[in-house]
Amino acid sequence: MPKFVDTSPPGQCIFCRIVAREIPAAVVYEDELTVAFMDIGQVNPGHVLVATRRHAANLFEVTDEEAAALMQTARRVALADQQAFPSAGLTLLQANGAEGGQTVNHIHMHVVPRHANDGIELSWPRKEPAASVLAEYAEQLRNALAADRKRETAA
Ligand code: 5GP
Ligand code: ZN
């Protein structure tokens, strides 16, 4: 679990300060909506963070455009990683909230080149419920999506 949590107020968080060039970072790429820089922890060489330029704490605070831009930049960086730090695999990871594993509350996506036995562990306790349970879960989500659509069209 995370050892460090950045509790700075929005706009003054570590990543806002990196985006504003107030604190140093090894920047890899930037565009209108995103900035990509080397993660200070370097789980494997080529470990990059892609952050939004605007402060948004997590996935629930970004616009559709920012969400798309994060993935587009992550893919660009992943392709560059394949040239600069060739790896058999590559993991994208985006954490939300302390329980989700997030330690810096400014949305970012990890781009991590992966190698056999590289020590990264993601425990994934499968439950495998019955098909009827899956159908119920899907219905709950369809209802939530429909409610969202209704709200959007009413706005
Ligand atoms: P999270 O746990 O929120 O998904 O990831 C936060 C990441 O930010 C960690 O991997 C950590 O190494 C990285 N990080 C924390 N502080 C700094 C910093 O000041 N500079 C850079 N480049 N990375 C940082
Ligand atoms: Zn921020």
Side-chain angles (χ1 to χ4, degrees):
M1 258 306 157
K3 293 188 181 68
F4 160 86
V5 175
D6 179 17
T7 53
S8 320
Q12 293 165 40
C13 80
I14 295 173
F15 291 175
C16 279
R17 298 182 68 205
I18 285 175
V19 168
R21 301 297 207 273
E22 287 170 12
I23 57 174
V27 173
V28 170
Y29 172 86
E30 60 187 314
D31 60 26
E32 200 187 325
L33 296 176
T34 64
V35 180
F37 50 92
M38 303 312 295
D39 188 300
I40 208 166
Q42 288 301 290
V43 168
N44 281 327
H47 179 182
V48 169
L49 300 175
V50 181
T52 49
R53 191 175 280 285
R54 182 181 73 88
H55 180 88
N58 53 42
L59 195 57
F60 311 115
E61 293 190 2
V62 288
T63 62
D64 283 354
E65 203 184 6
E66 286 168 330
L70 280 170
M71 181 54 90
Q72 194 168 57
T73 299
R75 181 171 179 275
R76 272 177 202 249
V77 170
L79 291 169
D81 257 333
Q82 287 296 87
Q83 290 184 58
F85 302 96
S87 61
L90 185 139
T91 297
L92 296 183
L93 182 77
Q94 193 276 307
N96 296 283
E99 292 78 4
Q102 185 175 18
T103 58
V104 176
N105 293 319
H106 178 136
I107 190 169
H108 54 279
M109 176 118 49
H110 294 258
V111 182
V112 190
R114 297 297 306 277
H115 308 280
N117 305 314
D118 63 8
I120 299 174
E121 284 173 28
L122 182 62
S123 167
W124 201 250
R126 290 168 63 87
K127 308 289 191 302
E128 304 194 13
S132 60
V133 176
L134 297 185
E136 273 171 42
Y137 291 168
E139 192 183 354
Q140 283 176 250
L141 288 168
R142 283 195 302 270
N143 290 342
L145 286 162
D148 271 354
R149 260 202 311 275
K150 229 180 196 166
R151 265 196 295 275
E152 276 166 24
T153 48

